Amino acid sequence: MLVLVAPGQGAQTPGFLTPWLDLPGAEARLRAWSAAIDLDLVHYGTKADADEIRDTAVAQPLLVAAALLSARQLFPTTDDVVRAVGATAGHSVGELAATALAGVLDDDAALLLVRARGLAMAEAAAVTKTGMSALLGGDPETTLAHLEKLGLTPANVNGAGQIVAAGTLEQLAALAEDKPEGVRRVVALKVAGAFHTSHMAPAVAALEAAASPLTPADPLLPYVSNRDGETVATGADVVARLVGQVANPVRWDLCMETFRARGVTALLELCPGGTLTGIAKRALPGVSTLALKTPDDLDAARALIAEHSSTAE
């Protein structure tokens, strides 16, 4: 059983889309999306520097566009996804890409929604200087108790010994000086706010307004939600969860538990892949993993799909 996943904010690097634009039709697709959402995705994916693409309003649509651009090289239509993929999910903003892959929204609608999401979360992040740091290693219960003592929120519980803390810059500085027992490293993430915490509450109403005109379809394949790792049956519930999720923790650990329960044998991470496959290698031993980083990875991805898709014999 093949799981198709999309990475979250912080996975972007300067110029990461450059090789993808050499593929037939890729640049035209990206320029059409750019026009639809009034954001030059070609520029930001090829020429912008690290600070420019760290901007939440830029990073979020850029990541969803990258995931969909790479996915459409392997699965041109939703029917192609449904035939081959056993479940789909995205980490944080990657959920918007998963929503399109599951047929809940079309690509254009998903990008318009993520554009609104990025703008709303950037505005919320500007109120107070906040950020996020990943904690590697340690006992989860010990780490969670330590974060509570410092006033930090466990914004991402990723599994495989990784929890992401979020809060004010002062709180994160205190964390760097006073790591929880057993934690090997504290790594500041390339994000501009304390996402998936109460700091993002102002963004919920804005995103709800942006989502209200949408007419989502029910998922055509199992869609696994960040909220609780459950599969979601209706398009309306998918969108409602997307709206509320901006101010609530990501439970990627529970998503992976669902993958395991459904019999996952392979996990394919869309561009810019690497983070989720790294977690899966530790949390899902025995599962084949592949990260799409450049078009050079497409042949290996096709081989993985052929071996592990629901139509494979």
Side-chain angles (χ1 to χ4, degrees), residues 230-241:
E230 295 296 318
T231 55
V232 185
T234 71
D237 193 11
V238 169
V239 172
R241 285 166 174 256

Side-chain angles (χ1 to χ4, degrees), residues 20-29 73:
W20 292 92
L21 298 193
D22 292 333
L23 299 177
E27 183 171 349
R29 186 189 295 269
Q73 296 297 319

